[in-house]
Amino acid sequence: MTDTTIEDTARVTRRDLAEGKVEKVLSDRTSQVPIADFGFDFTNAMQIAEAAKIMATAGPMLPEWLRGNVGGCWGIIVRAIELDISPLTLANWTYLGKDGRVAYESQFYHAVIEAKAPLKERLQYEIIGAGDDRTCRVWGVFRGETIVREITSERLGDLRPGTNERGQIKGSPLWVRKPDVQMFYDTCRDWCRIFCPDILGGVYARGEVEESEGVAEPMKDVSRDTSPKLRERLRGPTGEGFDKSSIEEAIAAATPADPKRSSKGDASGPADVAASAETASSSDLPPSPPDGGAVALASQEAGGG
């Protein structure tokens, strides 16, 4: 009883992590996670895993989907290392789409582009027009180049997402409160996807996730044999073909005969038919008994003789 109690006390549950019981995840390995001046300084995956356990206990500092979620925190830390930003900052830019995939808020894209894209200076933009007809133009110049890379968005009326069943705008609320800001964020993301897609590889916004939900069909398993079996082929179209008894007889007749079964003269029928056919095709067919003429004739016809 004592051993079980100790074991249960030592076991760390997701609830422990979600409730912020960091003392349950601290161990000797925790001290091996190096910290630099402005964050962690990982050298291997085990250190990231230990940091993810601690991060999962951060409670209100994380969005709900990451509280107690060690695997999710591990992924956030890895992505933060790739982008060279704070894991907690990145975590708070994330949320789950309806299909369970992780999506990122609009501010994230602008921040990452400015930090990672090889720009001479920050991206520039202007709003053109008014009302639902206004558009957003975004442009920038890469270091070592003089070419201006630019794109112009669609009309605001075409970009703004629809509403859900409760009348709420889909996607960011900025489409309603500050449409010019949201157009800029949206156009920045499109600019980056065109001119430096490696920065945002595998990272999607709320609108992109929602647009893709329910569109792609899962790939079917073509490796499995789905061709109709003999029984189905013999049935033919609905309302045609053989009745059940004829189907069973045809299948039996098409099945190779078992020599042992044939020699015993199984009275069930199919083995006798196959055996008679085999006998009729041989060249040394013995004479039929006087009272078996009809049977012999049937055997010859079955064997094609």
Side-chain angles (χ1 to χ4, degrees):
M1 178 65 69
T2 303
D3 293 339
T4 303
T5 303
I6 294 174
E7 188 175 310
D8 290 343
T9 303
R11 187 168 62 91
V12 181
T13 66
R14 180 161 183 170
R15 182 173 180 178
D16 293 332
L17 297 173
E19 292 178 351
K21 296 179 180 178
V22 67
E23 70 279 358
K24 297 198 71 172
V25 301
L26 297 178
S27 66
D28 294 338
R29 291 186 304 223
T30 306
S31 62
Q32 300 175 13
V33 181
I35 299 179
D37 292 339
F38 299 100
F40 292 113
D41 186 17
F42 302 110
T43 58
N44 57 61
M46 179 61 74
Q47 293 174 352
I48 297 175
E50 288 298 310
K53 293 177 186 177
I54 300 172
M55 182 175 173
T57 68
M61 293 194 70
L62 299 173
E64 187 175 354
W65 77 274
L66 281 173
R67 297 174 191 173
N69 184 350
V70 176
C73 289
W74 190 91
I76 289 293
I77 293 174
V78 171
R79 178 55 55 85
I81 293 171
E82 295 171 346
L83 299 174
D84 194 24
I85 59 178
S86 162
L88 285 176
T89 299
L90 178 60
N92 283 285
W93 273 330
T94 67
Y95 59 91
L96 292 183
K98 292 180 181 178
D99 66 348
R101 286 191 296 172
V102 176
Y104 297 79
E105 295 181 0
S106 301
Q107 305 96 299
F108 162 79
Y109 296 95
H110 185 217
V112 170
I113 292 167
E114 297 292 357
K116 303 296 289 184
L119 292 166
K120 280 186 177 179
E121 56 184 10
R122 299 176 74 86
L123 283 178
Q124 307 297 306
Y125 81 101
E126 67 174 332
I127 302 297
I128 305 170
D132 280 354
D133 288 330
R134 63 187 184 268
T135 59
C136 179
R137 172 176 169 255
V138 171
W139 70 93
V141 180
F142 291 126
R143 291 191 294 268
E145 295 184 0
T146 57
I147 301 172
V148 177
R149 314 283 181 175
E150 69 173 86
I151 65 168
T152 300
S153 72
E154 298 178 70
R155 298 170 56 254
L156 172 61
D158 296 327
L159 285 175
R160 186 189 294 115
T163 57
N164 58 25
E165 61 277 2
R166 293 173 299 200
Q168 298 172 328
I169 193 77
K170 295 179 180 178
S172 173
L174 290 178
W175 284 114
V176 175
R177 295 191 291 107
K178 298 180 179 180
D180 289 353
V181 173
Q182 184 58 40
M183 284 182 70
F184 169 63
Y185 286 149
D186 195 71
T187 310
C188 275
R189 186 187 68 237
D190 291 344
W191 184 94
C192 190
R193 294 223 187 274
I194 292 172
F195 298 114
C196 40
D198 52 304
I199 293 176
L200 298 181
V203 177
Y204 301 97
R206 182 194 301 266
E208 292 175 307
V209 170
E210 291 181 350
E211 286 174 5
S212 66
E213 286 171 358
V215 175
E217 294 291 335
M219 183 177 292
K220 295 181 179 179
D221 180 9
V222 296
S223 62
R224 185 168 52 88
D225 181 14
T226 58
S227 59
K229 301 299 184 286
L230 178 60
R231 190 183 304 277
E232 283 72 23
R233 293 202 302 270
L234 287 171
R235 285 197 179 98
T238 304
E240 300 180 10
F242 307 99
D243 58 28
K244 183 176 180 180
S245 61
S246 299
I247 292 173
E248 299 297 341
E249 292 175 1
I251 292 174
T255 303
D258 185 345
K260 295 181 180 179
R261 186 178 178 187
S262 300
S263 63
K264 293 180 180 179
D266 189 349
S268 61
D272 290 340
V273 174
S276 299
E278 181 179 355
T279 304
S281 62
S282 63
S283 58
D284 56 345
L285 184 68
S288 303
D291 57 348
V295 175
L297 181 59
S299 299
Q300 293 178 10
E301 292 176 351

